[in-house]
Amino acid sequence: MKTRDTIINAQSVHKVFGQNFHALKGINFKIQRGEVVVIIGPSGSGKSTFLRCLNFLEQPTAGSIEVDGVVIPAGSPSRQQLHQIRQIRAKMGMVFQQFNLFPHMTVLGNVIEGPVTVKKIAKKSAIQKAEELLNWVGLSDKRDEFPARLSGGPQQRVAIARSLAMEPEIMLFDEPTSALDPELVGEVVEVMERLAKEGMTIVAVTHEMHFARNVADRVMIMDEGQWIEEGPPDEIFTNPAEERSRQFLAHVL
């Protein structure tokens, strides 16, 4: 059974790029441990920027982000806060649109790199864990291949296994299927669905409405750096309250 304590709490998060591009405008966001939240909305609405702020790949301009009890305010982080940010990142796996695999390493090498170099786990133990994960994502037979020899779907599943090898408490997905050919999307979505069923906390920016409708606990719609509305998938997809939501959903459903 899923426990329901808050694991991420973002308060009044703003992000300004350059002099005047206000990408995020006072975002408030909470997610409970074990919850699956899907963020949808038009291109350029701030979805990926928000996801990158959650693990400080982008530094918020104003507001604060709390992860598992550690609060990081916006602004240039202190030395102590940089240490805390590294701890936060260790709890968050992130899967990007592009697979970002190391081309000079085998599939197995990619998966063990983080645990061995960052967490200082013994290589033998890391290999054992990596083999379990590659089996879990259906790629045991590809462990000695190089990424260039794999198509997009398997590469993205390697990227998921690589994130899981760090034993994160939260998984962030930034449009993980947008770079894939349509016939390869399903195999990545299936892995995401299995993660959700096993109780992983997930924040996903995705265009895969099937995943949003069938797996998410909540769907949140963003436009122009703000939430338009949020709610259970059935409510959002069947009876959206806001006109902007209806216009967006009319284009994607």
Side-chain angles (χ1 to χ4, degrees), residues 2 4 7-8 29-39 50-51 54 91-95 136 160 164 168-174 176 188-206 211-212 215-220:
K2 294 179 179 178
R4 289 298 186 184
I7 191 166
I8 298 175
F29 174 83
K30 285 186 180 181
I31 184 170
Q32 311 302 313
R33 198 179 302 272
E35 192 178 10
V36 178
V37 173
V38 170
I39 301 172
F50 175 62
L51 213 62
L54 289 181
K91 297 179 181 183
M92 286 187 176
M94 187 160 185
V95 177
W136 192 82
I160 293 171
L164 293 175
E169 297 178 33
I170 303 156
M171 284 292 288
L172 308 178
F173 289 94
D174 186 9
V188 174
V189 171
E190 181 192 355
V191 172
M192 294 169 66
E193 290 175 349
R194 286 165 60 202
L195 269 178
K197 286 176 184 173
E198 293 189 5
M200 177 66 75
T201 306
I202 294 174
V203 187
V205 171
T206 182
F211 178 81
V215 181
D217 296 302
R218 268 190 297 153
V219 174
M220 306 183 73

Side-chain angles (χ1 to χ4, degrees), residues 11 34 95 140-141 160 163 197 218 227 241:
Q11 291 291 315
V95 177
S140 292
D141 58 333
I160 293 171
S163 289
K197 286 176 184 173
R218 268 190 297 153
W227 300 131

Side-chain angles (χ1 to χ4, degrees), residues 141-187:
D141 58 333
K142 304 296 185 185
R143 56 164 276 170
D144 297 320
E145 295 280 10
F146 286 90
R149 292 179 58 84
L150 303 179
S151 59
Q155 285 197 54
Q156 193 62 294
R157 284 186 282 153
V158 174
I160 293 171
R162 181 178 62 179
S163 289
L164 293 175
M166 296 294 285
E167 300 185 323
E169 297 178 33
I170 303 156
M171 284 292 288
L172 308 178
F173 289 94
D174 186 9
E175 300 190 11
T177 60
S178 65
L180 301 180
D181 292 332
E183 67 270 18
L184 300 174
V185 168
E187 61 189 52

Side-chain angles (χ1 to χ4, degrees), residues 57-78:
L57 288 175
E58 295 286 356
Q59 188 68 36
T61 307
S64 66
I65 293 174
E66 177 181 353
V67 179
D68 207 15
V70 176
V71 181
I72 307 290
S76 298
S78 65

Side-chain angles (χ1 to χ4, degrees), residues 6-147:
T6 300
I7 191 166
I8 298 175
N9 183 6
Q11 291 291 315
S12 301
V13 173
H14 291 258
K15 179 63 182 178
V16 180
F17 291 101
Q19 296 298 311
N20 55 13
F21 180 57
H22 207 154
L24 300 176
K25 303 171 182 173
I27 292 290
N28 294 307
F29 174 83
K30 285 186 180 181
I31 184 170
Q32 311 302 313
R33 198 179 302 272
E35 192 178 10
V36 178
V37 173
V38 170
I39 301 172
I40 62 176
S43 295
S45 58
K47 306 181 301 294
S48 293
T49 298
F50 175 62
L51 213 62
R52 291 169 68 86
C53 282
L54 289 181
N55 68 355
F56 299 92
L57 288 175
E58 295 286 356
Q59 188 68 36
T61 307
S64 66
I65 293 174
E66 177 181 353
V67 179
D68 207 15
V70 176
V71 181
I72 307 290
S76 298
S78 65
R79 181 177 295 182
Q80 180 188 4
Q81 287 165 348
L82 285 171
H83 175 68
Q84 291 173 323
I85 287 170
R86 284 193 291 272
Q87 291 178 316
I88 284 170
R89 285 181 181 151
K91 297 179 181 183
M92 286 187 176
M94 187 160 185
V95 177
F96 300 87
Q97 297 177 40
Q98 302 301 326
F99 321 122
N100 295 337
L101 299 175
F102 298 117
H104 62 289
M105 292 182 179
T106 64
V107 163
L108 183 70
N110 268 276
V111 178
I112 70 171
E113 176 68 11
V116 171
T117 60
V118 178
K119 298 183 82 172
K120 309 301 181 188
I121 290 173
K123 190 170 182 180
K124 183 178 178 181
S125 298
I127 289 172
Q128 182 178 351
K129 176 72 173 177
E131 288 174 336
E132 291 172 7
L133 287 167
L134 289 172
N135 181 58
W136 192 82
V137 299
L139 292 171
S140 292
D141 58 333
K142 304 296 185 185
R143 56 164 276 170
D144 297 320
E145 295 280 10
F146 286 90

